mmCIF file of all heavy atoms in Angstrom:
data_model
loop_
_atom_site.group_PDB
_atom_site.id
_atom_site.type_symbol
_atom_site.label_atom_id
_atom_site.label_comp_id
_atom_site.label_asym_id
_atom_site.label_seq_id
_atom_site.Cartn_x
_atom_site.Cartn_y
_atom_site.Cartn_z
ATOM 1 N N TRP R 1 -19.078 -24.035 -4.818
ATOM 2 C CA TRP R 1 -18.185 -25.205 -4.789
ATOM 3 C C TRP R 1 -19.004 -26.484 -4.807
ATOM 4 O O TRP R 1 -20.097 -26.548 -4.216
ATOM 5 C CB TRP R 1 -17.332 -25.176 -3.515
ATOM 6 C CG TRP R 1 -16.286 -26.265 -3.483
ATOM 7 C CD1 TRP R 1 -15.013 -26.182 -3.941
ATOM 8 C CD2 TRP R 1 -16.444 -27.591 -2.970
ATOM 9 N NE1 TRP R 1 -14.364 -27.380 -3.766
ATOM 10 C CE2 TRP R 1 -15.221 -28.269 -3.163
ATOM 11 C CE3 TRP R 1 -17.505 -28.278 -2.380
ATOM 12 C CZ2 TRP R 1 -15.014 -29.591 -2.782
ATOM 13 C CZ3 TRP R 1 -17.322 -29.603 -2.002
ATOM 14 C CH2 TRP R 1 -16.093 -30.240 -2.193
ATOM 15 N N ASP R 2 -18.467 -27.495 -5.497
ATOM 16 C CA ASP R 2 -18.986 -28.857 -5.384
ATOM 17 C C ASP R 2 -17.805 -29.813 -5.507
ATOM 18 O O ASP R 2 -16.658 -29.384 -5.680
ATOM 19 C CB ASP R 2 -20.077 -29.139 -6.429
ATOM 20 C CG ASP R 2 -19.584 -28.954 -7.853
ATOM 21 O OD1 ASP R 2 -18.437 -29.367 -8.150
ATOM 22 O OD2 ASP R 2 -20.342 -28.403 -8.675
ATOM 23 N N SER R 3 -18.075 -31.088 -5.395
ATOM 24 C CA SER R 3 -16.984 -32.080 -5.341
ATOM 25 C C SER R 3 -16.175 -32.155 -6.625
ATOM 26 O O SER R 3 -15.090 -32.746 -6.643
ATOM 27 C CB SER R 3 -17.563 -33.461 -5.015
ATOM 28 O OG SER R 3 -18.532 -33.832 -5.988
ATOM 29 N N THR R 4 -16.666 -31.548 -7.702
ATOM 30 C CA THR R 4 -15.906 -31.553 -8.960
ATOM 31 C C THR R 4 -15.115 -30.263 -9.167
ATOM 32 O O THR R 4 -14.410 -30.129 -10.169
ATOM 33 C CB THR R 4 -16.869 -31.748 -10.143
ATOM 34 O OG1 THR R 4 -17.780 -30.643 -10.205
ATOM 35 C CG2 THR R 4 -17.660 -33.040 -9.991
ATOM 36 N N SER R 5 -15.235 -29.291 -8.255
ATOM 37 C CA SER R 5 -14.545 -28.006 -8.412
ATOM 38 C C SER R 5 -13.049 -28.174 -8.265
ATOM 39 O O SER R 5 -12.572 -28.934 -7.418
ATOM 40 C CB SER R 5 -15.055 -26.998 -7.382
ATOM 41 O OG SER R 5 -16.440 -26.770 -7.546
ATOM 42 N N ALA R 6 -12.300 -27.429 -9.113
ATOM 43 C CA ALA R 6 -10.847 -27.520 -9.080
ATOM 44 C C ALA R 6 -10.232 -26.586 -8.052
ATOM 45 O O ALA R 6 -9.094 -26.786 -7.630
ATOM 46 C CB ALA R 6 -10.286 -27.209 -10.465
ATOM 47 N N VAL R 7 -10.962 -25.564 -7.653
ATOM 48 C CA VAL R 7 -10.428 -24.546 -6.748
ATOM 49 C C VAL R 7 -11.427 -24.287 -5.622
ATOM 50 O O VAL R 7 -12.637 -24.234 -5.862
ATOM 51 C CB VAL R 7 -10.125 -23.230 -7.501
ATOM 52 C CG1 VAL R 7 -9.656 -22.145 -6.531
ATOM 53 C CG2 VAL R 7 -9.080 -23.442 -8.582
ATOM 54 N N ILE R 8 -10.909 -24.106 -4.403
ATOM 55 C CA ILE R 8 -11.744 -23.716 -3.263
ATOM 56 C C ILE R 8 -11.770 -22.192 -3.196
ATOM 57 O O ILE R 8 -10.723 -21.558 -2.981
ATOM 58 C CB ILE R 8 -11.194 -24.266 -1.947
ATOM 59 C CG1 ILE R 8 -11.038 -25.790 -1.997
ATOM 60 C CG2 ILE R 8 -12.085 -23.869 -0.780
ATOM 61 C CD1 ILE R 8 -10.262 -26.341 -0.817
ATOM 62 N N PRO R 9 -12.916 -21.559 -3.379
ATOM 63 C CA PRO R 9 -12.968 -20.094 -3.229
ATOM 64 C C PRO R 9 -12.914 -19.727 -1.748
ATOM 65 O O PRO R 9 -13.500 -20.399 -0.897
ATOM 66 C CB PRO R 9 -14.316 -19.728 -3.853
ATOM 67 C CG PRO R 9 -15.152 -20.951 -3.706
ATOM 68 C CD PRO R 9 -14.230 -22.132 -3.770
ATOM 69 N N MET R 10 -12.213 -18.658 -1.446
ATOM 70 C CA MET R 10 -12.069 -18.207 -0.063
ATOM 71 C C MET R 10 -12.296 -16.706 0.022
ATOM 72 O O MET R 10 -11.989 -15.972 -0.923
ATOM 73 C CB MET R 10 -10.669 -18.555 0.473
ATOM 74 C CG MET R 10 -10.358 -20.042 0.510
ATOM 75 S SD MET R 10 -8.688 -20.403 1.149
ATOM 76 C CE MET R 10 -7.667 -19.808 -0.201
ATOM 77 N N ILE R 11 -12.831 -16.252 1.139
ATOM 78 C CA ILE R 11 -12.979 -14.819 1.432
ATOM 79 C C ILE R 11 -12.140 -14.520 2.661
ATOM 80 O O ILE R 11 -12.298 -15.163 3.709
ATOM 81 C CB ILE R 11 -14.447 -14.440 1.684
ATOM 82 C CG1 ILE R 11 -15.266 -14.624 0.408
ATOM 83 C CG2 ILE R 11 -14.557 -12.992 2.172
ATOM 84 C CD1 ILE R 11 -16.753 -14.361 0.593
ATOM 85 N N ALA R 12 -11.244 -13.550 2.531
ATOM 86 C CA ALA R 12 -10.345 -13.199 3.633
ATOM 87 C C ALA R 12 -10.744 -11.847 4.221
ATOM 88 O O ALA R 12 -11.237 -10.968 3.499
ATOM 89 C CB ALA R 12 -8.902 -13.137 3.148
ATOM 90 N N PRO R 13 -10.545 -11.664 5.511
ATOM 91 C CA PRO R 13 -10.809 -10.344 6.096
ATOM 92 C C PRO R 13 -9.756 -9.338 5.655
ATOM 93 O O PRO R 13 -8.584 -9.679 5.468
ATOM 94 C CB PRO R 13 -10.750 -10.587 7.604
ATOM 95 C CG PRO R 13 -10.125 -11.910 7.794
ATOM 96 C CD PRO R 13 -10.151 -12.654 6.501
ATOM 97 N N ASN R 14 -10.168 -8.091 5.476
ATOM 98 C CA ASN R 14 -9.230 -7.045 5.074
ATOM 99 C C ASN R 14 -8.088 -6.893 6.071
ATOM 100 O O ASN R 14 -6.969 -6.543 5.691
ATOM 101 C CB ASN R 14 -9.967 -5.712 4.913
ATOM 102 C CG ASN R 14 -10.561 -5.552 3.534
ATOM 103 O OD1 ASN R 14 -9.890 -5.744 2.530
ATOM 104 N ND2 ASN R 14 -11.841 -5.229 3.479
ATOM 105 N N MET R 15 -8.378 -7.154 7.347
ATOM 106 C CA MET R 15 -7.345 -6.998 8.363
ATOM 107 C C MET R 15 -6.191 -7.977 8.153
ATOM 108 O O MET R 15 -5.051 -7.673 8.504
ATOM 109 C CB MET R 15 -7.947 -7.166 9.759
ATOM 110 C CG MET R 15 -8.536 -8.534 10.030
ATOM 111 S SD MET R 15 -9.215 -8.695 11.708
ATOM 112 C CE MET R 15 -7.731 -8.575 12.669
ATOM 113 N N PHE R 16 -6.457 -9.149 7.546
ATOM 114 C CA PHE R 16 -5.388 -10.094 7.238
ATOM 115 C C PHE R 16 -4.395 -9.469 6.263
ATOM 116 O O PHE R 16 -3.180 -9.565 6.439
ATOM 117 C CB PHE R 16 -5.971 -11.381 6.632
ATOM 118 C CG PHE R 16 -6.450 -12.373 7.646
ATOM 119 C CD1 PHE R 16 -6.805 -11.975 8.931
ATOM 120 C CD2 PHE R 16 -6.561 -13.713 7.328
ATOM 121 C CE1 PHE R 16 -7.268 -12.881 9.874
ATOM 122 C CE2 PHE R 16 -7.013 -14.642 8.268
ATOM 123 C CZ PHE R 16 -7.360 -14.220 9.536
ATOM 124 N N LEU R 17 -4.944 -8.854 5.212
ATOM 125 C CA LEU R 17 -4.070 -8.244 4.200
ATOM 126 C C LEU R 17 -3.325 -7.049 4.777
ATOM 127 O O LEU R 17 -2.142 -6.835 4.471
ATOM 128 C CB LEU R 17 -4.904 -7.822 2.984
ATOM 129 C CG LEU R 17 -4.109 -7.347 1.759
ATOM 130 C CD1 LEU R 17 -3.166 -8.435 1.263
ATOM 131 C CD2 LEU R 17 -5.053 -6.911 0.640
ATOM 132 N N ASP R 18 -3.995 -6.269 5.625
ATOM 133 C CA ASP R 18 -3.310 -5.141 6.266
ATOM 134 C C ASP R 18 -2.172 -5.633 7.160
ATOM 135 O O ASP R 18 -1.083 -5.049 7.177
ATOM 136 C CB ASP R 18 -4.316 -4.335 7.106
ATOM 137 C CG ASP R 18 -5.311 -3.588 6.242
ATOM 138 O OD1 ASP R 18 -5.030 -3.388 5.054
ATOM 139 O OD2 ASP R 18 -6.384 -3.224 6.764
ATOM 140 N N PHE R 19 -2.429 -6.698 7.901
ATOM 141 C CA PHE R 19 -1.378 -7.258 8.757
ATOM 142 C C PHE R 19 -0.190 -7.718 7.931
ATOM 143 O O PHE R 19 0.969 -7.458 8.286
ATOM 144 C CB PHE R 19 -1.948 -8.428 9.567
ATOM 145 C CG PHE R 19 -0.901 -9.221 10.306
ATOM 146 C CD1 PHE R 19 -0.327 -8.728 11.460
ATOM 147 C CD2 PHE R 19 -0.482 -10.447 9.813
ATOM 148 C CE1 PHE R 19 0.654 -9.452 12.131
ATOM 149 C CE2 PHE R 19 0.499 -11.185 10.469
ATOM 150 C CZ PHE R 19 1.069 -10.678 11.639
ATOM 151 N N TYR R 20 -0.480 -8.369 6.804
ATOM 152 C CA TYR R 20 0.622 -8.845 5.964
ATOM 153 C C TYR R 20 1.404 -7.672 5.381
ATOM 154 O O TYR R 20 2.650 -7.640 5.441
ATOM 155 C CB TYR R 20 0.082 -9.721 4.816
ATOM 156 C CG TYR R 20 1.139 -10.020 3.781
ATOM 157 C CD1 TYR R 20 2.070 -11.032 3.979
ATOM 158 C CD2 TYR R 20 1.242 -9.247 2.621
ATOM 159 C CE1 TYR R 20 3.072 -11.278 3.054
ATOM 160 C CE2 TYR R 20 2.228 -9.477 1.692
ATOM 161 C CZ TYR R 20 3.148 -10.498 1.911
ATOM 162 O OH TYR R 20 4.146 -10.716 0.999
ATOM 163 N N ASN R 21 0.711 -6.685 4.795
ATOM 164 C CA ASN R 21 1.394 -5.602 4.081
ATOM 165 C C ASN R 21 2.191 -4.684 4.995
ATOM 166 O O ASN R 21 3.270 -4.218 4.620
ATOM 167 C CB ASN R 21 0.367 -4.775 3.298
ATOM 168 C CG ASN R 21 -0.032 -5.433 1.994
ATOM 169 O OD1 ASN R 21 0.774 -6.099 1.360
ATOM 170 N ND2 ASN R 21 -1.286 -5.260 1.598
ATOM 171 N N PHE R 22 1.676 -4.412 6.183
ATOM 172 C CA PHE R 22 2.291 -3.388 7.021
ATOM 173 C C PHE R 22 3.045 -3.938 8.230
ATOM 174 O O PHE R 22 3.639 -3.166 8.976
ATOM 175 C CB PHE R 22 1.213 -2.395 7.477
ATOM 176 C CG PHE R 22 0.497 -1.748 6.327
ATOM 177 C CD1 PHE R 22 -0.823 -2.064 6.038
ATOM 178 C CD2 PHE R 22 1.153 -0.851 5.500
ATOM 179 C CE1 PHE R 22 -1.482 -1.488 4.976
ATOM 180 C CE2 PHE R 22 0.503 -0.271 4.423
ATOM 181 C CZ PHE R 22 -0.820 -0.589 4.156
ATOM 182 N N GLN R 23 3.029 -5.262 8.411
ATOM 183 C CA GLN R 23 3.805 -5.853 9.498
ATOM 184 C C GLN R 23 4.627 -7.048 9.018
ATOM 185 O O GLN R 23 5.854 -7.005 9.017
ATOM 186 C CB GLN R 23 2.870 -6.295 10.637
ATOM 187 C CG GLN R 23 2.166 -5.138 11.324
ATOM 188 C CD GLN R 23 1.314 -5.599 12.498
ATOM 189 O OE1 GLN R 23 1.702 -6.446 13.278
ATOM 190 N NE2 GLN R 23 0.131 -5.035 12.630
ATOM 191 N N PHE R 24 3.936 -8.083 8.569
ATOM 192 C CA PHE R 24 4.623 -9.320 8.238
ATOM 193 C C PHE R 24 5.587 -9.146 7.066
ATOM 194 O O PHE R 24 6.744 -9.589 7.118
ATOM 195 C CB PHE R 24 3.592 -10.411 7.926
ATOM 196 C CG PHE R 24 4.198 -11.774 7.741
ATOM 197 C CD1 PHE R 24 4.568 -12.540 8.837
ATOM 198 C CD2 PHE R 24 4.394 -12.292 6.472
ATOM 199 C CE1 PHE R 24 5.127 -13.795 8.676
ATOM 200 C CE2 PHE R 24 4.947 -13.537 6.303
ATOM 201 C CZ PHE R 24 5.320 -14.299 7.393
ATOM 202 N N SER R 25 5.148 -8.539 5.971
ATOM 203 C CA SER R 25 6.010 -8.407 4.782
ATOM 204 C C SER R 25 7.251 -7.590 5.084
ATOM 205 O O SER R 25 8.339 -7.882 4.557
ATOM 206 C CB SER R 25 5.221 -7.775 3.631
ATOM 207 O OG SER R 25 4.858 -6.442 3.948
ATOM 208 N N LEU R 26 7.116 -6.560 5.923
ATOM 209 C CA LEU R 26 8.272 -5.716 6.242
ATOM 210 C C LEU R 26 9.297 -6.485 7.074
ATOM 211 O O LEU R 26 10.513 -6.339 6.885
ATOM 212 C CB LEU R 26 7.806 -4.471 6.991
ATOM 213 C CG LEU R 26 6.834 -3.552 6.222
ATOM 214 C CD1 LEU R 26 6.415 -2.385 7.103
ATOM 215 C CD2 LEU R 26 7.479 -3.039 4.937
ATOM 216 N N SER R 27 8.822 -7.321 7.999
ATOM 217 C CA SER R 27 9.751 -8.062 8.856
ATOM 218 C C SER R 27 10.386 -9.242 8.128
ATOM 219 O O SER R 27 11.488 -9.677 8.480
ATOM 220 C CB SER R 27 9.030 -8.565 10.105
ATOM 221 O OG SER R 27 8.029 -9.505 9.755
ATOM 222 N N GLN R 28 9.709 -9.788 7.106
ATOM 223 C CA GLN R 28 10.218 -10.957 6.387
ATOM 224 C C GLN R 28 10.811 -10.607 5.026
ATOM 225 O O GLN R 28 11.183 -11.499 4.258
ATOM 226 C CB GLN R 28 9.086 -11.971 6.189
ATOM 227 C CG GLN R 28 8.417 -12.422 7.470
ATOM 228 C CD GLN R 28 9.370 -13.148 8.388
ATOM 229 O OE1 GLN R 28 10.173 -13.973 7.941
ATOM 230 N NE2 GLN R 28 9.307 -12.854 9.687
ATOM 231 N N ASN R 29 10.880 -9.320 4.725
ATOM 232 C CA ASN R 29 11.432 -8.852 3.445
ATOM 233 C C ASN R 29 10.669 -9.451 2.259
ATOM 234 O O ASN R 29 11.248 -9.909 1.270
ATOM 235 C CB ASN R 29 12.923 -9.203 3.338
ATOM 236 C CG ASN R 29 13.615 -8.397 2.232
ATOM 237 O OD1 ASN R 29 13.199 -7.281 1.897
ATOM 238 N ND2 ASN R 29 14.662 -8.965 1.650
ATOM 239 N N LEU R 30 9.352 -9.420 2.359
ATOM 240 C CA LEU R 30 8.480 -9.922 1.307
ATOM 241 C C LEU R 30 7.795 -8.754 0.612
ATOM 242 O O LEU R 30 7.643 -7.674 1.193
ATOM 243 C CB LEU R 30 7.427 -10.870 1.897
ATOM 244 C CG LEU R 30 7.957 -12.173 2.494
ATOM 245 C CD1 LEU R 30 6.826 -12.931 3.189
ATOM 246 C CD2 LEU R 30 8.578 -13.038 1.413
ATOM 247 N N PRO R 31 7.362 -8.943 -0.641
ATOM 248 C CA PRO R 31 6.705 -7.837 -1.361
ATOM 249 C C PRO R 31 5.319 -7.558 -0.801
ATOM 250 O O PRO R 31 4.625 -8.461 -0.318
ATOM 251 C CB PRO R 31 6.625 -8.354 -2.799
ATOM 252 C CG PRO R 31 6.594 -9.838 -2.658
ATOM 253 C CD PRO R 31 7.481 -10.150 -1.481
ATOM 254 N N GLN R 32 4.932 -6.293 -0.857
ATOM 255 C CA GLN R 32 3.569 -5.937 -0.480
ATOM 256 C C GLN R 32 2.616 -6.296 -1.617
ATOM 257 O O GLN R 32 2.997 -6.293 -2.792
ATOM 258 C CB GLN R 32 3.474 -4.451 -0.151
ATOM 259 C CG GLN R 32 4.218 -4.050 1.113
ATOM 260 C CD GLN R 32 4.056 -2.578 1.441
ATOM 261 O OE1 GLN R 32 4.145 -1.730 0.571
ATOM 262 N NE2 GLN R 32 3.822 -2.282 2.711
ATOM 263 N N LEU R 33 1.371 -6.614 -1.267
ATOM 264 C CA LEU R 33 0.411 -7.120 -2.241
ATOM 265 C C LEU R 33 -0.893 -6.329 -2.175
ATOM 266 O O LEU R 33 -1.375 -6.007 -1.088
ATOM 267 C CB LEU R 33 0.099 -8.601 -1.968
ATOM 268 C CG LEU R 33 1.295 -9.560 -1.952
ATOM 269 C CD1 LEU R 33 0.844 -10.938 -1.489
ATOM 270 C CD2 LEU R 33 1.934 -9.638 -3.331
ATOM 271 N N THR R 34 -1.445 -6.029 -3.341
ATOM 272 C CA THR R 34 -2.766 -5.398 -3.399
ATOM 273 C C THR R 34 -3.834 -6.491 -3.447
ATOM 274 O O THR R 34 -3.534 -7.667 -3.665
ATOM 275 C CB THR R 34 -2.896 -4.511 -4.646
ATOM 276 O OG1 THR R 34 -2.821 -5.336 -5.819
ATOM 277 C CG2 THR R 34 -1.780 -3.467 -4.689
ATOM 278 N N GLN R 35 -5.079 -6.089 -3.280
ATOM 279 C CA GLN R 35 -6.170 -7.060 -3.351
ATOM 280 C C GLN R 35 -6.222 -7.749 -4.712
ATOM 281 O O GLN R 35 -6.434 -8.972 -4.797
ATOM 282 C CB GLN R 35 -7.504 -6.370 -3.051
ATOM 283 C CG GLN R 35 -7.689 -5.961 -1.609
ATOM 284 C CD GLN R 35 -9.113 -5.502 -1.321
ATOM 285 O OE1 GLN R 35 -9.997 -5.582 -2.185
ATOM 286 N NE2 GLN R 35 -9.354 -5.023 -0.110
ATOM 287 N N ASP R 36 -6.020 -6.975 -5.788
ATOM 288 C CA ASP R 36 -6.088 -7.563 -7.128
ATOM 289 C C ASP R 36 -5.001 -8.609 -7.335
ATOM 290 O O ASP R 36 -5.228 -9.647 -7.967
ATOM 291 C CB ASP R 36 -5.972 -6.463 -8.187
ATOM 292 C CG ASP R 36 -7.195 -5.560 -8.212
ATOM 293 O OD1 ASP R 36 -8.275 -6.035 -7.805
ATOM 294 O OD2 ASP R 36 -7.068 -4.383 -8.613
ATOM 295 N N ILE R 37 -3.803 -8.339 -6.801
ATOM 296 C CA ILE R 37 -2.710 -9.315 -6.947
ATOM 297 C C ILE R 37 -3.022 -10.583 -6.167
ATOM 298 O O ILE R 37 -2.840 -11.702 -6.658
ATOM 299 C CB ILE R 37 -1.377 -8.701 -6.482
ATOM 300 C CG1 ILE R 37 -0.957 -7.576 -7.430
ATOM 301 C CG2 ILE R 37 -0.284 -9.760 -6.400
ATOM 302 C CD1 ILE R 37 0.300 -6.840 -6.988
#
């Protein structure tokens, strides 16, 4: 990244995605997501 970059790259922990797919998405009626998506 530098001051001219259009996008901020981010790295997320796998546990965040697991929490979303198996807890949050089910309670909020949201679609489950793979890493590629």
Side-chain angles (χ1 to χ4, degrees):
W1 186 91
D2 59 41
S3 58
T4 63
S5 300
V7 176
I8 304 169
M10 298 180 289
I11 294 176
N14 274 310
M15 63 179 294
F16 276 23
L17 188 59
D18 290 341
F19 170 76
Y20 169 81
N21 280 327
F22 302 109
Q23 294 183 42
F24 187 79
S25 65
L26 299 178
S27 65
Q28 303 297 318
N29 196 28
L30 294 173
Q32 292 182 316
L33 303 172
T34 65
Q35 289 190 5
D36 291 334
I37 293 176

